[in-house]
Amino acid sequence: MIELNDVSKTYRIGDEEVKALNHVDLTVEAGAFVGVTGPSGSGKSTLMHIIGCLDTADSGAYRLDGQPIEHYSENELAAIRNRKIGFIFQSFNLIARMTLEENVELPLIYQGVPSHLRKMRVEAALEQVGLADRRKHTPNSISGGQQQRAAIARAVVTEPALILADEPTGNLDSKTGENIIALFHSFNAAGKTIVLITHDDRIARETGRVIRIMDGAIDRIARPDTGTQTQVAETAGQSDPTNAAPNGDHSGAATGNGIDAGEKQPGKRSKR
Amino acid sequence: MIFQSFKMAWKSIAANKARAALTMLGIIIGVVSLVVLVSLVTSATNSVTDQIAGMGNDMLTVSVRDDKGNPLKAADLAEIAQDGNIALIAPTAQSSAAAKSGGETVNVSLEGTNGSYFQIRGDELASGRFLKAVDLENVSYVAVLSNETAIGIYGDSDATGRTLTMDGRKYLVVGVLAEDDSMMASISQAYSVYIPYTVMERLSSGTSGVSSFYASAVDSAHMDEAEAAVERALLSRFKNDGDAFYIMNQNTLAETMGDVTNTFALLLGGIAAISLLVGGIGIMNIMLVSVTERTREIGIRKAIGANRRSILFQFLIEALTICLVGCAVGIALSGLILIAINAFAADAMTIGFSGSVVAASVLFSTVIGVAFGLYPARKAAGMPPIDALRYE
Ligand SMILES: Nc1ncnc2c1ncn2[C@@H]1O[C@H](COP(=O)(O)OP(=O)(O)O)[C@@H](O)[C@H]1O
Ligand SMILES: [Mg+2]
């Protein structure tokens, strides 16, 4: 379970301060499938990095499975990333000179899994994403969709409880993207908690709950499955389910509009 | 895990072959110069000390510079030989003569001495016998030839029983020495002929007394005592004038030569070690470039759970692998170079692979790999995961 409490993160470039996260409160229950949307530069990746223990907040508290992260050493954080979390990035982030098999094996090596068990688990993970026959290939010799599936195999090979994906379909065509998203749904069905950052409102709509980030703050939390959309204050998380918006039935569309509004300037969505 | 690390290191080195080869070159050159130079010096040392030992390492060479009008006589030598630390004594006197055989005339260097001379020097016979005491007593015109002399004059080393005419006098050849393949022998080109000391005295009627002699200690452990005994006798003989004579101790010579060549080995080894050090700096340079280039990879590894130590080891082992592979190539190359040198300079001496310098170069390369790999590796390990991931 993820619990962020009044978390802020500020970057300084020269004299300029960027509030990448501005007093964020967020709770994600174990087993949830959360979609995160918002315009580029709004702080989505920063949020994911903090949730994934890749970065630490300047202020506020973060508890992962009830444990306050602030007290952990760098090595303990590495172990948490290794065992509890699987990362998936927009640019796949496979190591180019290693085969898919070796890429997927890497987190198991860092976990200290003995060699014969590693082989079995790598095989199973690649099988799961449909790349068993490509295991000797290097990332450059396969398509983007296949690379992303290999990256997913690497993320899930350690059986993490939490999967964090930062625009995993951003570099893929929509058809390939759908296959990738289907994988996330199957992982969620198997009980894994998933936080999925995406620009695609259709993909976001299919998740259990959509969080929209604006200028480093959570804008609104929508629950398309219940058909309720909850307007939240600047400090998000204090949702009031009784105060449903009038167009609650079209919560997905409303969220979509929001994304559109935010995305018009970068003009990324026009490609789809 | 260690094997896995070396495998991974090898993979990333192999990913950039030209660069790795150039980096290794520094180490290879360092190791080759270390191994070849030190092997050369060590072999030279060994051959020089062997030569000295071959000349008899229980030998004293004594020359009288100023006999104070009272030259040494054979009886004086006999008295010195009474000392318990001295085994043998042989007077020597040099001269030269024109030897005739058939129609040809050759110059030979004459050495007047006694039978002990050959024993002290450890000479061996090809045929016949050495000089004997009776030869000296009877002042017999007999001669012992060195192997080269016999071949030079008779075309055959089996010259015993033949007659040799030197400066118009006939000598009976009673023995020929075995071939001497020591470096000293190959340096002196002259034909050597050994005749009884008394004959030599008679030939050079102007001079009298012994101006130089050889003495041997009972064994090489008693060289210093033997030297002291000779010195005592000569001091009392020559009015306590230490400058009247000169004693050369073969052991001291060997030690001095050993010191000189050891200093030489250290010096050359030191220079070679500096080139290895420069190779190490090259490795640090390349590792720093590699760490920067692979910032993103480091970020990925950290994201999927690598801790500081794993990253540190990864880059350290990479530096170490470059060093050790370079070292192995350098040792192999050194072997080939030494084989080539041996093939070209077959006669002068054989240059052996110095095992200790090979071990030293492996050790040194390891130390350099760790020492110069540590800073880049620490830099890699200390990268915050998020900065590394964001790096383009
Ligand atoms: N390491 C950093 N240094 C400086 N500014 C950063 C850094 N990381 C993020 N930012 C800034 O923080 C803001 C949020 O970035 P990010 O979380 O990547 O947004 P998103 O993923 O929503 O596009 C942006 O303005 C970005 O420029
Ligand atoms: Mg982002």
Side-chain angles (χ1 to χ4, degrees), chain B residues 249-366:
Chain B
N249 185 332
Q250 204 76 270
N251 244 2
T252 321
L253 182 71
E255 274 167 27
T256 311
M257 284 307 281
D259 283 353
V260 168
T261 46
N262 271 345
T263 310
F264 216 52
L266 271 178
L267 197 76
L268 286 178
I271 291 169
I274 288 172
S275 70
L276 247 181
L277 214 63
V278 173
I281 293 170
I283 284 186
M284 177 147 84
N285 189 19
I286 282 304
M287 288 310 293
L288 282 173
V289 172
S290 172
V291 167
T292 308
E293 276 180 357
R294 282 152 69 191
T295 300
R296 203 177 172 80
E297 176 190 326
I298 294 165
I300 296 169
R301 286 176 183 269
K302 287 201 159 188
I304 61 178
N307 55 24
R308 275 183 95 99
R309 223 185 53 204
S310 318
I311 302 290
L312 185 88
F313 272 130
Q314 184 195 338
F315 282 92
L316 206 55
I317 285 174
E318 246 179 76
L320 200 59
T321 306
I322 291 176
C323 265
L324 289 180
V325 171
C327 180
V329 172
I331 289 171
L333 216 59
S334 307
L336 291 178
I337 289 171
L338 290 181
I339 288 170
I341 291 177
N342 280 333
F344 281 113
D347 311 323
M349 56 178 162
T350 39
I351 295 142
F353 230 173
S354 165
S356 52
V357 78
V358 169
S361 62
V362 171
L363 190 78
F364 209 54
S365 300
T366 309

Side-chain angles (χ1 to χ4, degrees), chain A residues 4-179:
Chain A
L4 294 179
N5 228 310
D6 199 23
V7 164
S8 294
K9 179 83 186 175
T10 308
Y11 290 110
R12 235 166 246 103
I13 308 168
D15 311 334
E16 212 181 327
E17 280 195 356
V18 180
K19 285 206 150 96
L21 287 180
N22 197 358
H23 301 287
V24 170
D25 291 300
L26 175 69
T27 303
V28 176
E29 300 294 334
F33 191 159
V34 177
V36 178
T37 66
S40 142
S42 58
K44 305 183 296 294
S45 294
T46 306
L47 177 68
M48 187 189 100
H49 293 151
I50 287 175
I51 293 174
C53 303
L54 281 168
D55 206 353
T56 48
D58 295 338
S59 66
Y62 170 34
R63 285 163 175 270
L64 179 63
D65 294 336
Q67 299 298 317
I69 287 306
E70 295 86 320
H71 302 317
Y72 287 124
S73 71
E74 203 186 308
N75 279 344
E76 284 165 333
L77 290 180
I80 288 173
R81 290 195 295 270
N82 186 228
R83 285 159 201 277
K84 288 195 174 177
I85 302 166
F87 290 97
I88 292 136
F89 302 94
Q90 179 173 358
S91 52
F92 321 134
N93 276 347
L94 295 167
I95 297 174
R97 82 187 114 75
M98 295 171 38
T99 63
L100 299 190
E101 194 172 51
E102 287 163 341
N103 267 288
V104 175
E105 192 182 13
L106 216 44
L108 296 179
I109 291 176
Y110 290 131
Q111 208 174 81
V113 176
S115 168
H116 61 282
L117 291 178
R118 287 205 302 266
K119 291 276 172 282
M120 273 167 46
R121 288 172 66 174
V122 168
E123 182 99 39
L126 282 170
E127 190 79 53
Q128 205 174 356
V129 298
L131 281 178
D133 55 333
R134 298 290 159 98
R135 62 180 199 276
K136 297 284 183 203
H137 287 236
T138 53
N140 293 333
S141 65
I142 56 173
S143 71
Q146 288 171 326
Q147 286 184 55
Q148 194 58 297
R149 280 191 277 150
I152 291 171
R154 183 180 64 186
V156 300
V157 74
T158 53
E159 300 281 337
L162 174 61
I163 293 174
L164 301 177
D166 193 350
E167 302 188 37
T169 59
N171 285 357
L172 304 175
D173 63 76
S174 57
K175 182 82 182 55
T176 313
E178 274 169 30
N179 291 332

